[in-house]
Amino acid sequence: MHEYGEHEQGMAQGDDHGSLSHEETASSFSPSVQMRARVDNFLSTFPVTPIVLVRSKWLKIPKLLLLLVSVLGIMMYFAYDLRILQEVQVEASPALDVQEPASNWWTCSNSDGSCTSIWGEHTPGYCTPQGLCKKFKLAEVLPPGQSSMSSVSIGVSLAKPVDNKAGSAGANSAVWVQGVEDVIIKLRTSFHRTSGASGGIVSFHAADVQSILQYSDGSLRRLTPYGSSVNDPLNVDSKKFFEEHIPQDCGSNTGGLATCMGTAWGDFISLSVLLEAANVTITPQMRNRGFALDIGIVYTNMDLSDFWKLPLGRKQKVVYTASLRSYSSKDMAYFLQRSPSGNMGEGDAEIRVMRCLQIHAHGTGIFG
């Protein structure tokens, strides 16, 4: 009996100090207790993710490519959304004139005859093998009634005088025009939108657009822009950009020999410079038969090679290209002139055959 009592008492003590009672076990699974446990676990437990570094050049390339594609995609989206890459076709209306080089070009006036011409001052290579060459006045090498238009003709050799009933004289009788390479071509061009919601003139390039001469090898040279004097630089659009990226000028700024410059009145380029850009040397056959030169004029403010260079944005420019036009070897470019002598009557007036260089200007463009 006594032993049984101690055993029963030990069991009672075990219930008090060892295991949980049924009431306590049930209360530990109540919602309130579980919520407190979760909150305590959240506030006191800090999981740490282990970091593993793997050194490899190849593993990062896909990440960089993805980043690059994402950046380019965003840039192109905004470029399109802002319509900076929208193109509108442009047509050009060029006008050409011919002037003599002058030693006082910047201060003289053709209208009052104050210009001191230096045309034909140097003669090497300008005469026939027999030494037949002559200094002409400008009016004597231009077709009668020629005015400013998209094409001009300039005499390069004169056949012997013939009457108005005879054919042209042979090439062997030609007298070369001395110094024809030194005449200056004046170019003025206006550009017009040909499509889009708004039409009309885009710009007058001589006043606010950088002009560039492209050579046959693809190289570019800049026409330095001036205002109304050589000491009056013209601030064309993106001037500093083109000075930095096309530092070389295409010629002199004197209005004399080898002139190539922009002014407030238009662009002036010597025929010798245009021939050099076209990689053309006038041969005796070309002088005796005449030839044709094309001047391409392209306006654009959408050249992407310029757009993405700093500072980013559209940059206006006009690009001239010169090229020799192909004709039949038996063809001849010429015009007829009435002799200025005036010694004969109207019916028997002497007619001269002037073989000539025909210059044709044509243009197009893209505006954005």
Side-chain angles (χ1 to χ4, degrees):
M1 294 291 291
H2 176 72
E3 294 178 359
Y4 176 78
E6 290 179 350
H7 177 72
E8 186 176 20
Q9 184 178 6
M11 292 294 292
Q13 292 176 349
D15 289 338
D16 293 338
H17 303 286
S19 60
L20 296 174
S21 66
H22 294 291
E23 291 79 3
E24 291 175 340
T25 303
S27 65
S28 64
F29 290 98
S30 65
S32 59
V33 174
Q34 292 180 10
M35 181 60 68
R36 285 198 302 270
R38 290 175 182 174
V39 171
D40 290 340
N41 181 65
F42 174 78
L43 295 176
S44 59
T45 303
F46 302 95
V48 178
T49 303
I51 299 176
V52 179
L53 296 178
V54 179
R55 296 187 178 274
S56 174
K57 297 179 180 179
W58 302 109
L59 290 178
K60 203 165 187 178
I61 289 180
K63 180 180 178 181
L64 294 176
L65 288 177
L66 180 61
L67 178 62
L68 178 61
V69 170
S70 300
V71 172
L72 290 178
I74 293 173
M75 293 177 65
M76 294 302 296
Y77 170 78
F78 281 108
Y80 181 83
D81 188 60
L82 295 174
R83 297 182 179 274
I84 59 177
L85 296 181
Q86 300 300 298
E87 298 180 356
V88 176
Q89 288 298 120
V90 170
E91 67 177 13
S93 299
L96 304 182
D97 285 314
V98 183
Q99 294 187 0
E100 296 183 32
S103 59
N104 58 339
W105 190 89
W106 283 102
T107 57
C108 71
S109 171
N110 288 321
S111 60
D112 61 14
S114 60
C115 294
T116 304
S117 175
I118 57 174
W119 186 30
E121 290 290 326
H122 61 296
T123 59
Y126 287 175
C127 297
T128 67
Q130 296 79 22
L132 298 176
C133 58
K134 178 185 175 182
K135 290 184 178 181
F136 288 83
K137 295 180 180 179
L138 185 61
E140 295 177 321
V141 298
L142 300 180
Q146 176 167 271
S147 59
S148 178
M149 57 188 75
S150 61
S151 64
V152 295
S153 296
I154 307 169
V156 294
S157 68
L158 174 66
K160 70 178 182 180
V162 297
D163 60 51
N164 56 6
K165 297 179 182 179
S168 61
N172 292 332
S173 62
V175 176
W176 289 1
V177 176
Q178 185 171 320
V180 68
E181 291 90 338
D182 296 330
V183 297
I184 299 174
I185 309 301
K186 177 183 178 181
L187 301 101
R188 294 172 294 160
T189 311
S190 60
F191 299 93
H192 308 261
R193 297 184 181 94
T194 58
S195 62
S198 58
I201 295 178
V202 175
S203 62
F204 183 69
H205 75 80
D208 55 8
V209 181
Q210 177 64 63
S211 298
I212 298 167
L213 181 61
Q214 180 172 336
Y215 284 66
S216 60
D217 61 358
S219 61
L220 302 175
R221 298 184 188 179
R222 183 172 46 87
L223 280 71
T224 301
Y226 297 95
S228 56
S229 74
V230 73
N231 297 318
D232 178 26
L234 200 64
N235 291 320
V236 297
D237 181 57
S238 304
K239 181 179 180 180
K240 291 183 178 180
F241 171 84
F242 289 110
E243 287 177 345
E244 177 181 350
H245 290 86
I246 309 177
Q248 187 172 1
D249 295 334
C250 57
S252 73
N253 62 353
T254 62
L257 306 180
T259 288
C260 188
M261 61 183 178
T263 73
W265 309 294
D267 291 334
F268 294 83
I269 308 178
S270 292
L271 179 56
S272 61
V273 175
L274 288 173
L275 292 172
E276 179 187 1
N279 194 27
V280 171
T281 300
I282 303 179
T283 64
Q285 183 181 16
M286 293 166 66
R287 291 183 187 273
N288 291 331
R289 303 195 69 86
F291 62 103
L293 192 70
D294 283 324
I295 300 179
I297 306 172
V298 177
Y299 166 89
T300 183
N301 66 345
M302 296 297 296
D303 190 334
L304 293 182
S305 63
D306 294 337
F307 182 92
W308 295 113
K309 292 177 182 176
L310 296 177
L312 296 179
R314 292 174 292 188
K315 303 171 183 70
Q316 298 186 89
K317 64 181 179 182
V318 169
V319 180
Y320 297 120
T321 57
S323 59
L324 186 66
R325 179 178 291 190
S326 298
Y327 281 121
S328 169
S329 59
K330 297 186 179 298
D331 197 7
M332 184 170 67
Y334 69 97
F335 59 85
L336 301 178
Q337 265 190 343
R338 188 182 301 276
S339 173
S341 61
N343 294 328
M344 291 181 285
E346 182 70 21
D348 298 323
E350 185 179 69
I351 301 299
R352 302 191 307 184
V353 178
M354 182 70 75
R355 283 76 174 244
C356 66
L357 158 63
Q358 297 175 343
I359 301 178
H360 303 273
H362 52 87
T364 184
I366 297 175
F367 179 81

